[in-house]
Amino acid sequence: MPASPPDFDATYFRTALGRFATGVTVVTAMAEDGQPIGMTVSSFNSVSLDPPLVLWSLSRDSSSLAGLQRCQRYVVNVLSADQLTLAKRFARGSAAERFADLATRRAPGGTLMLGDECAAWFECHNRSRYEEGDHVIMVGEVEHCGHSGALPLVYHAGGFDLTPQTEQTR
């Protein structure tokens, strides 16, 4: 039996999804032409411990999509609570603006990553991609990772705080 049509609109659905607090990441890589790629992503999750797999999704409208689908490796940088400015920086503007005057380093496998302030990081082989709806789900096989004692940056209800909001039902 097929799925029933939704009884809500996209705005209501997005608001309901926003009730689930997520961490905030910046995915970084190098394009085939050697230019850095990076964007803020809040749709990050673990998939498997053996093999170690993670996933994240990217809008089909993203200007970074083509480069990230073709790259061999990328790093998922889990931002710390002190990196709100960085999250906003990588959510807007061009790649050149995002990386301008930004200290970066290389993960053990050579992949571009952010500095040492992140709560955690995962260097991934670009294993699989699945087109679903208006996004592409990227599955990465983790080759190297690290973490610090920093608290993570949290995204909730369309913002970077956990302020309670009124309940709505449909």
Side-chain angles (χ1 to χ4, degrees):
M1 180 155 103
S4 301
D7 68 346
F8 49 83
D9 63 16
T11 302
Y12 189 85
F13 184 54
R14 179 181 294 238
T15 301
L17 289 172
R19 302 310 301 153
F20 180 69
T22 64
V24 181
T25 67
V26 168
V27 176
T28 54
M30 295 298 282
E32 290 175 325
D33 64 2
Q35 294 300 309
I37 303 171
M39 88 274 327
T40 300
V41 173
S42 62
S43 59
F44 170 72
N45 217 329
S46 63
V47 175
S48 169
L49 293 176
D50 187 19
L53 302 174
V54 296
L55 69 77
W56 56 282
S57 64
L58 182 60
S59 170
R60 288 185 193 213
D61 295 335
S62 172
S63 60
S64 301
L65 179 62
L68 284 162
Q69 285 183 307
R70 288 191 298 266
C71 72
Q72 291 293 311
R73 285 175 176 69
Y74 52 79
V75 173
V76 179
N77 303 269
V78 179
L79 299 186
S80 72
D82 295 332
Q83 294 180 301
L84 175 58
T85 302
L86 196 60
K88 290 179 177 180
R89 177 179 186 167
F90 275 82
R92 302 180 186 97
S94 68
E97 293 169 329
R98 293 172 183 172
F99 286 97
D101 302 319
L102 182 67
T104 59
R105 62 186 183 117
R106 297 295 175 152
T111 310
L112 178 71
M113 65 185 287
L114 301 179
D116 296 327
E117 303 82 27
C118 291
W121 58 270
F122 303 89
E123 184 178 28
C124 303
H125 167 63
N126 196 353
R127 179 179 169 129
S128 310
R129 289 155 301 285
Y130 302 95
E131 294 187 12
E132 293 293 339
D134 58 4
H135 277 65
V136 176
I137 301 165
M138 311 285 276
V139 177
E141 185 163 352
V142 180
E143 297 175 318
H144 304 98
C145 66
H147 60 87
S148 71
L151 293 174
L153 181 61
V154 177
Y155 187 77
H156 173 258
F160 295 96
D161 63 45
L162 297 174
T163 305
Q165 302 206 354
T166 39
E167 180 182 339
Q168 294 181 0
T169 59
R170 221 343 111 125

